[in-house]
Amino acid sequence: QLQASGGGLVRPGGSLRLYCAASGFESDYYAIGWFRQAPGKGREGVVCLAVKAGRTHYTDFAKDRFTISRDNAKDTIFLQMGSLEPEDTAVYYCAATYGGPYYVPSLVTSYRYWGQGTLVTVSS
């Protein structure tokens, strides 16, 4: 089960932390991905994390501004976003799929389990 939260309204240049509560997994051999869908656009990948090995894969636009991390004890995955721009306005989703220890799929279609999204609005 996945549940994304933490969205809200933030000014350009600001920061925001999103949370993904992940529970019910049978092992640590799974990947968590953050995706987003802007109004009128398709869903796109932001970053993904192979939980077992800690390997990550960032989409180019996220490399210098976003950071994914995990709190093992609380089964929570964080997405720290900085230097936010109006173009970052979107509904953000977390998703998961089982795989090998270094598996970091970036495609929407690679993920089997999805949480409901959380809206991030970047506006002055």
Side-chain angles (χ1 to χ4, degrees), residues 46-65:
V46 178
V47 59
C48 49
L49 165 71
V51 169
K52 183 65 175 178
R55 183 186 182 192
T56 59
H57 174 78
Y58 287 84
T59 304
D60 285 347
F61 69 79
K63 282 180 180 178
D64 298 325
R65 300 187 296 126

Side-chain angles (χ1 to χ4, degrees), residues 21-108:
S23 63
F25 292 95
E26 299 174 347
S27 73
D28 284 345
Y29 289 88
Y30 65 94
I32 290 287
W34 280 101
F35 294 82
R36 69 182 188 182
Q37 187 164 12
K41 296 187 177 180
R43 196 167 296 187
E44 64 177 348
V46 178
V47 59
C48 49
L49 165 71
V51 169
K52 183 65 175 178
R55 183 186 182 192
T56 59
H57 174 78
Y58 287 84
T59 304
D60 285 347
F61 69 79
K63 282 180 180 178
D64 298 325
R65 300 187 296 126
F66 296 0
T67 303
I68 190 170
S69 60
R70 179 180 180 228
D71 182 330
N72 294 347
K74 297 182 179 180
D75 290 332
T76 302
I77 292 87
F78 306 100
L79 180 64
Q80 181 68 44
M81 305 187 294
S83 301
L84 287 164
E85 306 166 351
E87 293 73 22
D88 295 314
T89 294
V91 177
Y92 284 72
Y93 300 88
C94 60
T97 190
Y98 285 105
Y102 299 97
Y103 186 47
V104 284
S106 57
L107 298 178
V108 171

Side-chain angles (χ1 to χ4, degrees), residues 7-27:
L9 174 64
V10 61
R11 295 184 182 277
S15 300
L16 199 64
R17 173 175 279 198
L18 303 184
Y19 306 82
C20 176
S23 63
F25 292 95
E26 299 174 347
S27 73

